[in-house]
C-alpha cells in the first residue's frame, strides 16, 4: 500500500509522521536542509523558492520554537505567511476545524502548518483535502497530541548527524516522559529507520507506553545504568498538561532519579552531546549546569530547525 504522505510519483505530499517514512526520504530532507543553514549566515537571507505561495500557520496549541521557526523559514523562502491567531479566530465561536480549513482554502492556501492538542488533527485535514479534490494543498504536522512531531524529529536527526556523522555507530538514550511525548515517538521512528544499533529509553515505569519495546528500543528504569557509554542524550520535558492524575511522587523526586546532572552526564562518553526539544524545565528534567554546559546543543537544535523546515516546505511546494 502506498504511504499516504507520498504522491503517486513517490514525492512528499504531506508531512504527518516519521513513522513509516522511507529512509531515503528522511535522508533527502536532511541533505536538502544542509545548504539552507548557509542562507542563515548571509546578509540577505532570502531565496525565491516559495515565491507566490501562501502558507497558513494554524497553531491551536501554544508554541515558541516551532511556530516562529516555521514563520522564519517560510519568509526566507519568500512565501506569504499568515499566522492564524486561534484565540481570536472563529474557532473560539464554535467553528469546526474542517470549516476553518474550507474557508482558508477559499483564500487560496497552498500549505497548512498545523499544531493541535488532538492526536490525528493534521491527518484529518489531509484526508479532507484529498476527499474534496484539493490534494494540491500540503499539510505539515507541527505536533499533534501525543502522536507525532515530525519536524522536531527531523531537526533532531540533523543535529545528531551534524555532531556525530554516522547513525550506524551510535548509542542513543531518550530520557523522560515518553508516555506523553510526540517528540519521543518521532525520534524513535527516525532513529530506528536510520539504523541506530543501540537505542535506549530511560524513564520511570509510569511514564513508559506498554508497547514501547515493540518500537525497537531497550528500556531502563535506572538512569545511571542507561546512560553508561552513550553518544547522545535526548532529554524530554515532563508533560504535566497531558497527565491525568499523579504519575510521579513530586518534581523534586523526579529530578533526583531522572534529572540530568553533571554527575550523571559523566557516565556517558566524554564527547556525548545533550539535546532537549524545549521548552525545558530547569531543575526538573535537567540541571542548569548541564543545559548551559559545553556538551549541550539545545540552541543549535533551534537554529537547525529553520533549515530543516525550509527543506520540508521546499520539498512539498517548492519550484
Ligand atoms: N519543541 C517544540 O515543539 O517547542 P515549542 O512547543 O516551543 O514549539
Amino acid at each position: 500500500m502506498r504511504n499516504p504522505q507520498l504522491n503517486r510519483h513517490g514525492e512528499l505530499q504531506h508531512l504527518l509522521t516519521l513513522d513509516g517514512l522511507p529512509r531515503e526520504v528522511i535522508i533527502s530532507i536532511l541533505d536538502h536542509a544542509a545548504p539552507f543553514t548557509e542562507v542563515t549566515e548571509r546578509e540577505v537571507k532570502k531565496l525565491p523558492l516559495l515565491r507566490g505561495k501562501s502558507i497558513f500557520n494554524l497553531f491551536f496549541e501554544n508554541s515558541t520554537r516551532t511556530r516562529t521557526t516555521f514563520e522564519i523559514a517560510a519568509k526566507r523562502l519568500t512565501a506569504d505567511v499568515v499566522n492564524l491567531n486561534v484565540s481570536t479566530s472563529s474557532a473560539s465561536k464554535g467553528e469546526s476545524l474542517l470549516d476553518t480549513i474550507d474557508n482558508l482554502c477559499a483564500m487560496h492556501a497552498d500549505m497548512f502548518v498545523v499544531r493541535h492538542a488532538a492526536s490525528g488533527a493534521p491527518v484529518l485535514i489531509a484526508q479532507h483535502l484529498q476527499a474534496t479534490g484539493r490534494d494540491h494543498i500540503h499539510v505539515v504536522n507541527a505536533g499533534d497530541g501525543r502522536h507525532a512531531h515530525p519536524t522536531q524529529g527531523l531537526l533532531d536527526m540533523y543535529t545528531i548527524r551534524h555532531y556525530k556523522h554516522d547513525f550506524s555507530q551510535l548509542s542513543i538514550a531518550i530520557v523522560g516522559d515518553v508516555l506523553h511525548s510526540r517528540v519521543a515517538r518521532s525520534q524513535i521512528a527516525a532513529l530506528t529507520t536510520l539504523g541506530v544499533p543501540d537505542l535506549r529509553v530511560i524513564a520511570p515505569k509510569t511514564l513508559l507506553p506498554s508497547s514501547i519495546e515493540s518500537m525497537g528500543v531497550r528500556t531502563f528504569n535506572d538512569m545511571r545504568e542507561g546512560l553508561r557509554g552513550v553518544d547522545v542524550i535526548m532529554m524530554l520535558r515532563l508533560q504535566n498538561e497531558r497527565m491525568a492524575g499523579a504519575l510521579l511522587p513530586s518534581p523534586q523526586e523526579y529530578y533526583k532519579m531522572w534529572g540530568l546532572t553533571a554527575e550523571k552526564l559523566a557516565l556517558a562518553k566524554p564527547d556525548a552531546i545533550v539535546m532537549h526539544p524545549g521548552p525545558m524545565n530547569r531543575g526538573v528534567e535537567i540541571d542548569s549546569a548541564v543545559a548551559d554546559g559545553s556538551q549541550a546543543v539545545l540552541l543549535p537544535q533551534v537554529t537547525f530547525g529553520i533549515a530543516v523546515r525550509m527543506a520540508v516546505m521546499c520539498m512539498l511546494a517548492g519550484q
Side-chain angles (χ1 to χ4, degrees), residues 3 16 19 43 56 75 79 90 108 111 119 125 142 144-145 159 162 176 179 208 252 262 266 270 281 286 309:
N3 186 315
L16 304 172
D19 203 6
E43 200 175 316
F56 285 70
K75 285 180 171 167
S90 291
H108 302 290
M111 189 184 300
S119 298
I125 295 170
D144 62 329
T159 306
H162 177 84
L179 182 64
L208 279 174
Q252 293 79 11
N281 296 304
I286 191 164
R309 289 172 174 131

Side-chain angles (χ1 to χ4, degrees), residues 228-283:
R228 222 169 285 281
V230 297
D231 301 280
V232 179
I233 303 173
M234 306 174 87
M235 299 303 297
L236 298 172
R237 182 174 66 85
L238 267 189
Q239 289 143 96
N240 292 307
E241 73 277 17
R242 296 197 192 110
M243 288 186 199
L247 296 174
L248 296 167
S250 69
Q252 293 79 11
E253 290 203 67
Y254 180 84
Y255 180 65
K256 203 167 144 198
M257 299 286 283
W258 292 284
L260 186 62
T261 58
E263 176 252 325
K264 289 185 196 137
L265 174 57
L267 297 165
K269 288 199 180 135
D271 63 348
I273 56 168
V274 176
M275 302 170 62
H276 192 304
M280 67 176 147
N281 296 304
R282 292 170 184 264

Side-chain angles (χ1 to χ4, degrees), residues 145-158:
R146 58 170 85 176
H147 169 234
H149 193 347
T151 57
Q152 179 69 45
L154 289 167
L155 76 88
D156 290 339
M157 297 310 109
Y158 191 94

